[in-house]
Amino acid sequence: MGKYIKVLLSLTLVLTMVACGSNNSGSNGNAAGNNSQQGANNAADGGKKYTVTWMSGTWKDPVPPVTGDGVTAINEKFNIDFKPQMLPWDVYTEKLAVKIASGDIPDVISIEDADSNFVKWAKQGAFLPLDEFIGDYETFKPVDDFIWDAMKVEGKIYAIPTFFETKGGKKPMIRKDWLDKLGLQMPTSYEELKEVAVAFAKQDPDGDGMNNTTGLGLSKEIFYDPSFSAYYDAETWYHKNDSGQYIPGYISQGNKDKIQFLADLYKEGGLNKDWPIITYNDVFKGFNAGKVGIWYQQPGGVGIDLEILKELEPNAEVVPIPAFKAPDGSQGFTHGSGFYGMYLLNAKLKGEPEKVKRILEMIDYSRQYVPLEERNPQNEYFDWIKGHEGKGYNMVDGVVVDDPQNFALVAPAAYIPDVAWTSNEQTLKDYIALAKPAYKEQDQAFYDMLSAAEFYVNPIHRVHPPKFMEKKTELFKYITDETTKMIVGQRPISEWEAMVQEYMDKGGKEVIDEVNQELQAGNIQGEWSK
């Protein structure tokens, strides 16, 4: 997941660093209302002053300091004595573990994911259960149940998630101009995709008279997973075994079908013969150079550089491929986890409910959505959280541009979470509005496809089975290595069942049993939604 997160994060930060609050955010319905605004006003107007210690990872450079205009603005807004400790994410997790072990835990901490440390520390009693407070804050109310489930340990909510769109992420893209040139239709199945990919590799779609194009991009570790539907997704727990248990996608019939497709495609020349040793960045470069016909992009444009591509090939047209209809009749993609980053409160705050509310008011207040047309100095809230025009940011041709040196020093958003909790659809619309000219059509096509598509809620995102968390990397690597051998012909696909048994013997059976026990205990099933 590290590759996905690093690429996805860069895009989400670009969009959501400015997707924060206004009290009159229009019909979107996701802005925090009078509750958080009144809370902030009450705090500033003479309520008890609290000292709030705060430890968080940051991507900001320079790292936000312990004092400065941003800290002063937070103190004045919420009537607190704010004591932040901001650390670069690449060292933060290690430093946080030391803090937790010492028992000297700040009032608020952040972590990137609901990982094994989160579960362990919650079970050890480090964090405050927040269930009784969740219903009191407007930006907490739109959070989907499947996201709250991920914030739970032993049935209690211990964290406030930070928004990350669930419909984003990499989706398959295709050179439609190549389809048109070769008289081919948009593929709707793996059989059709094979025909298209082989034609892209062998029929000179770029017209340079050379045999130098790749049909389907693929890099080592079978990345990106060419799943084209939740049914075929290697990391989605969609299928069930004969005992009615959910199983990981990579040992499912769906993945077997996909691996067979890739093996056939490899034999017929539709894949780069060196794909097991090339990096995904190499494939991006090949696509940008006009030499790959099918690869991956996400809403907002990260990875595929359409400006470079269109400079080389002005008539290039890149569009997303809709999800394939699966053998069981399902058709749709897999929802993402729905969050990146979490905020947790120290269990020692149990006896200070008013201080807890003050902290939650801060978080709620900072997560409001500001429509694009209101992101300017005239919007008092927006101007405040961004550190004021001419200091934390500047308006350049009507667009907000953070000051690279001053933002981290003067903006409250450098400290407290400013990623607005909005809807997937609103986020997709904003990508279109913010897109450079070369990306407008692409992002409109993403919106049209994704806003209408069905999405499967992956049940594994809703639970934290210890054995799964311990073994998932090892088991996934084993299956990836073995299926790579199958694609290139070093192991026959007829040995699929033997491979699955090997997986089970390496701890996979224990993982499957444990995952299903937790799913049953939480009454959780896989489900589809818009």
Side-chain angles (χ1 to χ4, degrees), residues 111 113-131 147-159 342 344 462-466 469 518:
I111 58 178
D113 197 9
D115 57 14
S116 57
N117 279 333
F118 163 63
V119 176
K120 178 179 69 176
W121 294 334
K123 287 182 177 180
Q124 290 173 348
F127 308 133
L128 180 73
L130 300 172
D131 305 70
I147 300 174
W148 283 126
D149 284 341
M151 304 295 107
K152 293 179 180 178
V153 176
E154 297 180 339
K156 295 181 180 179
I157 295 173
Y158 284 98
M342 308 149 58
L344 306 99
R462 307 174 73 167
V463 292
H464 310 293
M469 301 178 85
E518 291 216 9

Side-chain angles (χ1 to χ4, degrees), residues 237-310:
W237 290 60
Y238 178 86
H239 296 263
K240 294 182 179 180
N241 61 20
D242 292 340
S243 300
Q245 294 177 307
Y246 284 99
I247 60 174
Y250 45 73
I251 63 168
S252 70
Q253 181 63 45
N255 199 42
K256 181 181 179 182
D257 293 345
K258 180 180 63 189
I259 297 302
Q260 181 68 68
F261 152 76
L262 290 171
D264 293 343
L265 189 61
Y266 183 77
K267 289 178 184 177
E268 297 189 33
L271 294 176
N272 186 320
K273 63 181 178 62
D274 295 323
W275 74 264
I277 60 173
I278 64 176
T279 70
Y280 68 100
N281 281 327
D282 291 331
V283 186
F284 274 117
K285 291 175 183 177
F287 195 98
N288 295 339
K291 298 302 178 183
V292 178
I294 303 163
W295 188 226
Y296 286 80
Q297 179 74 309
Q298 67 196 55
V302 171
I304 290 178
D305 193 322
L306 293 179
E307 292 177 317
I308 291 176
L309 178 62
K310 287 181 177 291

Side-chain angles (χ1 to χ4, degrees), residues 216-234:
L216 173 67
L218 192 66
S219 68
K220 62 182 180 179
E221 301 175 4
I222 315 180
F223 197 79
Y224 294 98
D225 174 27
S227 57
F228 291 86
S229 176
Y231 178 93
Y232 301 105
D233 194 320

Side-chain angles (χ1 to χ4, degrees), residues 149-440:
D149 284 341
M151 304 295 107
K152 293 179 180 178
V153 176
E154 297 180 339
K156 295 181 180 179
I157 295 173
Y158 284 98
I160 304 299
T162 299
F163 179 79
F164 201 98
E165 70 270 23
T166 67
K167 292 186 177 183
K170 291 291 189 292
K171 300 293 183 291
M173 307 291 288
I174 192 167
R175 286 288 299 269
K176 185 177 182 301
D177 55 310
W178 286 11
L179 286 175
D180 295 342
K181 180 177 180 179
L182 300 180
L184 299 169
Q185 300 298 312
M186 176 71 73
T188 62
S189 67
Y190 280 117
E191 190 60 35
E192 293 177 5
L193 182 64
K194 181 173 69 173
E195 177 187 358
V196 167
V198 171
F200 281 1
K202 295 186 174 182
Q203 296 183 23
D204 191 25
D206 63 347
D208 67 356
M210 301 174 66
N211 183 23
N212 59 357
T213 51
T214 297
L216 173 67
L218 192 66
S219 68
K220 62 182 180 179
E221 301 175 4
I222 315 180
F223 197 79
Y224 294 98
D225 174 27
S227 57
F228 291 86
S229 176
Y231 178 93
Y232 301 105
D233 194 320
E235 296 194 61
T236 295
W237 290 60
Y238 178 86
H239 296 263
K240 294 182 179 180
N241 61 20
D242 292 340
S243 300
Q245 294 177 307
Y246 284 99
I247 60 174
Y250 45 73
I251 63 168
S252 70
Q253 181 63 45
N255 199 42
K256 181 181 179 182
D257 293 345
K258 180 180 63 189
I259 297 302
Q260 181 68 68
F261 152 76
L262 290 171
D264 293 343
L265 189 61
Y266 183 77
K267 289 178 184 177
E268 297 189 33
L271 294 176
N272 186 320
K273 63 181 178 62
D274 295 323
W275 74 264
I277 60 173
I278 64 176
T279 70
Y280 68 100
N281 281 327
D282 291 331
V283 186
F284 274 117
K285 291 175 183 177
F287 195 98
N288 295 339
K291 298 302 178 183
V292 178
I294 303 163
W295 188 226
Y296 286 80
Q297 179 74 309
Q298 67 196 55
V302 171
I304 290 178
D305 193 322
L306 293 179
E307 292 177 317
I308 291 176
L309 178 62
K310 287 181 177 291
E311 184 176 340
L312 294 171
E313 300 184 30
N315 295 323
E317 185 177 0
V318 182
V319 299
I321 302 175
F324 292 170
K325 189 171 184 178
D328 66 351
S330 65
Q331 186 173 12
F333 300 104
T334 302
H335 268 303
S337 66
F339 68 97
Y340 175 78
M342 308 149 58
Y343 286 84
L344 306 99
L345 275 62
N346 191 329
K348 294 178 181 179
L349 294 173
K350 182 178 180 180
E352 299 184 78
E354 294 306 313
K355 181 174 178 178
V356 171
K357 291 177 182 178
R358 186 76 57 83
I359 292 169
L360 295 178
E361 285 164 3
M362 291 170 59
I363 295 173
D364 182 47
Y365 184 73
S366 68
R367 288 156 46 107
Q368 303 168 56
Y369 175 78
V370 176
L372 291 176
E373 65 273 13
E374 296 181 24
R375 298 176 190 178
N376 54 54
Q378 288 69 50
N379 185 302
E380 182 179 351
Y381 173 86
F382 181 80
D383 191 55
W384 175 81
I385 203 163
K386 298 287 283 185
H388 304 292
E389 184 187 21
K391 295 181 179 180
Y393 72 98
N394 296 289
M395 300 297 296
V396 180
D397 297 327
V399 177
V400 176
V401 177
D402 292 345
D403 186 295
Q405 294 301 316
N406 289 333
F407 182 86
L409 308 179
V410 303
Y415 298 90
I416 56 181
D418 71 322
V419 180
W421 198 281
T422 184
S423 67
N424 282 293
E425 282 64 33
Q426 186 61 56
T427 302
L428 292 171
K429 288 179 181 178
D430 287 352
Y431 284 135
I432 299 169
L434 292 170
K436 296 179 180 179
Y439 294 86
K440 289 282 186 184

